Amino acid sequence: MKLISKNIWQIPREGKMRVPAFIVASDKIAKHIELGAIEQLKNVATLPGIVKGAFAMPDIHQGYGFPIGGVAAFDIDNGIVSPGGVGYDINCGVRMLTSNITYNEIKPFLNKILSHIYSNVPCGIGSKGKINVSRKDLKEILENGVNWAIKSGFGKKEDIESIEDRGKINGANPDFISERAVERGLPQVGSLGAGNHFIEIQAVKEIFNKNIADEFGIKKDNVTIMIHTGSRGLGYQVCDDAIRQLRQSNLKYNMDLPDRELISAPINSKEGKRYLSQMAAAANYAFVNRQLITHWIREVFHNILNEEGSPSDLRLLYDICHNIAKFENYNIDTKLKSVLVHRKGATRAFGPFNELLPDIYKKTGQPIIIPGDMGRSSYILVGTKNAENMTFSSTCHGSGRVLSRHKAIKATKGIDLQKTLEESGIKVIAKSWKTLHEEASIAYKDISDVIDSVDGAGICQKVAKLIPIGVIKG
């Protein structure tokens, strides 16, 4: 790897690579990137129709086909779409709620709020939602996303403006969703799941950009709520189905792939269009999932804090995907081109005045919400024009694992993590001890190093630092 500018490393073309590869990382992070993830990035650079380069963010680690933290854009006329470039948890994403409640105001009620949210929001492996959704409802969810939730009384109309793609990715076709995916999706609408998914109550610890923070409604010591979850079993099944369906297309279109996990189809092929419709449907499901959870969290805050005479209005700052493929326009070789951008474990980072931003964020640029781990901080950033020019408007999505779940459990054996976190001021409710140990801080890179990498590279700017005060894990 060769350092070509601050925190930007280049891997020159070699072998069958059609474009170079680039990694956004500080010196400190670059030294410890796993070789398997770098090989996956180089493999992505060999795919048909890839333009400019294969990109990785500082939270890069090995995934299925594409590395997690990977970004690649493909020409719509001769490029491909790959389920491995989106991931199994389609539209896994994060949303942030802001408040005018201070840490000191919420502190006496924190245990009560956490226990009520835990009772109100189903979580854990195989968890089922608390509402009965008919097949007709599910079809509308898959097709229309958050519009279904708002129409059904789960949220405010203004929420829509603060969700990527206004909570609905066009082109979804519920008829392409398998019966098995429907069976898995029906009972799980409005559930958190397990693994690295969470609900976190946070306090704003530090402001880096007061002007942007003021625009976002972020004030020091105020409480925020972060929700991280995706499309649950339905999204997993959609990906599984698509990989099985696309196995034949590799032979049909004579694709020479360096890794069978990079299974793909031409964007404009019947198979490619079918997957994109399935992906959009699963993404719409995930938007609704986070919207329902938001509604129930708002109910808890309202019921508990209004009881005590405190304000409890929770405003949606933004909701972003980090496992998705999107059609977007970029200047490539002095020409404006439409490309399909795969972001797998990577977050969109539009700068000011991008045509796809809602009016409320046209002047500032897009809010970017990056969670850390449950024992360390999270960050709010804002997108930049540099990101549009350098990384197809993309940045990191989190810390990035350094230990597998099995190794994390082994490394924390004998430690009472719940007690340790509480001693540092973080109250935790978890469905199982296993999840706590799998998700221990030791399993992740230090989020501050990751954020400094992307901020230093100029692909986004730090706005605020948040610290966890209450965590719910599945």
Side-chain angles (χ1 to χ4, degrees):
M1 297 196 305
K2 178 185 175 185
L3 188 66
I4 59 170
S5 63
K6 187 175 181 182
N7 294 354
I8 305 285
W9 302 78
Q10 183 186 60
I11 302 170
R13 286 178 60 187
E14 63 178 28
K16 293 183 178 181
M17 289 170 67
R18 299 170 192 259
V19 292
F22 300 91
I23 299 176
V24 182
S26 65
D27 242 5
K28 182 178 178 181
I29 286 180
K31 290 174 184 174
H32 301 289
I33 297 172
E34 56 187 336
L35 293 178
I38 292 174
E39 280 305 308
Q40 285 189 322
L41 186 66
K42 289 164 68 176
N43 287 343
V44 171
T46 71
L47 292 173
I50 190 169
V51 295
K52 193 173 176 179
F55 296 84
M57 300 300 129
D59 48 342
I60 180 176
H61 55 290
Q62 197 163 346
Y64 182 89
F66 277 55
I68 297 165
V71 178
F74 297 88
D75 185 279
I76 60 171
D77 294 321
N78 54 35
I80 55 89
V81 59
S82 174
V86 172
Y88 272 88
D89 193 357
I90 297 166
N91 188 10
C92 184
V94 187
R95 68 166 48 190
M96 165 77 61
L97 306 174
T98 64
S99 79
N100 289 319
I101 309 161
T102 66
Y103 172 62
N104 284 335
E105 285 173 331
I106 203 173
K107 197 173 180 181
F109 313 111
L110 189 56
N111 283 339
K112 188 176 181 182
I113 286 170
L114 282 172
S115 64
H116 279 238
I117 291 174
Y118 185 71
S119 300
N120 250 22
V121 179
C123 60
I125 294 171
S127 54
K128 296 181 179 180
K130 59 186 274 186
I131 59 171
N132 292 319
V133 174
S134 68
R135 284 175 175 262
K136 183 182 175 185
D137 285 330
L138 182 62
K139 186 173 182 179
E140 191 176 343
I141 288 168
L142 298 175
E143 195 166 2
N144 292 318
V146 166
N147 295 302
W148 173 88
I150 301 299
K151 185 184 78 173
S152 303
F154 298 104
K156 311 170 183 181
K157 283 185 180 177
E158 56 264 35
D159 289 344
I160 291 175
E161 292 301 316
S162 296
I163 304 173
E164 191 169 318
D165 291 308
R166 303 183 88 248
K168 174 193 173 183
I169 295 181
N170 292 324
N173 189 340
D175 294 338
F176 290 157
I177 302 300
S178 70
E179 178 59 24
R180 178 60 183 139
V182 168
E183 288 172 357
R184 295 184 72 176
L186 273 169
Q188 290 188 332
V189 178
S191 61
L192 186 67
N196 64 348
H197 296 152
F198 62 81
I199 296 168
E200 191 167 287
I201 301 175
Q202 304 159 328
V204 180
K205 176 73 171 177
E206 189 174 355
I207 300 288
F208 303 102
N209 186 322
K210 188 175 185 308
N211 289 338
I212 300 289
D214 286 346
E215 289 286 339
F216 287 176
I218 305 293
K219 295 177 183 174
K220 195 170 186 297
D221 297 325
N222 277 12
V223 167
T224 59
I225 297 95
M226 189 180 281
I227 302 162
H228 177 214
T229 190
S231 49
R232 303 288 279 113
L234 181 139
Y236 188 99
Q237 191 64 46
V238 164
C239 183
D240 214 37
D241 292 341
I243 288 169
R244 194 166 53 252
Q245 290 157 2
L246 291 182
R247 282 198 183 114
Q248 294 305 312
S249 73
N250 275 7
L251 299 172
K252 179 178 175 181
Y253 297 106
N254 194 29
M255 290 189 183
D256 180 20
L257 299 176
D259 181 352
R260 63 195 298 267
E261 291 182 355
L262 290 172
I263 197 160
S264 309
I267 293 168
N268 288 319
S269 67
K270 179 183 174 183
E271 297 88 346
K273 289 177 179 177
R274 182 184 178 91
Y275 169 70
L276 286 167
S277 289
Q278 293 169 318
M279 181 207 72
N284 291 341
Y285 179 99
F287 283 134
V288 170
N289 210 23
R290 294 195 286 274
Q291 184 66 31
L292 295 183
I293 292 170
T294 295
H295 178 73
W296 294 323
I297 291 172
R298 280 171 167 162
E299 283 186 337
V300 169
F301 270 72
H302 177 79
N303 291 340
I304 292 176
L305 293 185
N306 273 6
E307 248 179 34
E308 308 294 337
S310 300
S312 60
D313 185 47
L314 302 179
R315 173 182 163 263
L316 176 56
L317 172 64
Y318 208 59
D319 179 304
I320 50 175
C321 318
H322 52 231
N323 281 353
I324 204 73
K326 296 280 190 67
F327 289 104
E328 294 167 6
N329 297 322
Y330 292 93
N331 281 307
I332 299 165
D333 298 329
T334 71
K335 290 182 180 178
L336 189 66
K337 275 192 173 184
S338 181
V339 292
L340 182 64
V341 184
H342 292 60
R343 295 187 181 97
K344 182 192 184 169
T347 304
R348 200 176 70 175
F350 284 152
F353 303 107
N354 187 287
E355 61 181 0
L356 296 179
L357 282 176
D359 289 343
I360 53 175
Y361 296 126
K362 277 280 198 297
K363 281 170 57 180
T364 60
Q366 178 205 308
I368 301 165
I369 302 149
I370 308 295
D373 58 73
M374 62 187 171
R376 288 184 281 207
S377 52
S378 296
Y379 286 81
I380 298 170
L381 303 98
V382 68
T384 65
K385 284 290 180 186
N386 281 341
E388 293 179 22
N389 298 327
M390 294 165 64
T391 59
F392 292 107
S393 299
S394 305
T395 188
C396 61
H397 87 304
S399 302
R401 290 194 81 95
V402 291
L403 292 180
S404 69
R405 287 177 166 81
H406 175 73
K407 286 181 178 177
I409 290 173
K410 194 173 178 182
T412 56
K413 188 178 179 181
I415 300 172
D416 186 339
L417 286 177
Q418 190 166 17
K419 183 180 177 183
T420 301
L421 287 164
E422 291 205 2
E423 285 172 352
S424 64
I426 305 165
K427 298 183 184 298
V428 181
I429 300 179
K431 198 83 173 178
S432 76
W433 69 268
K434 185 182 176 189
T435 301
L436 274 185
H437 286 260
E438 288 174 345
E439 296 299 308
S441 293
I442 196 173
Y444 289 91
K445 298 173 187 175
D446 187 327
I447 186 64
S448 296
D449 294 335
V450 172
I451 296 300
D452 286 343
S453 293
V454 293
D455 178 82
I459 59 174
C460 48
Q461 293 178 349
K462 291 192 288 188
V463 175
K465 179 180 180 178
L466 320 165
I467 55 169
I469 57 173
V471 180
I472 292 172
K473 300 285 291 185

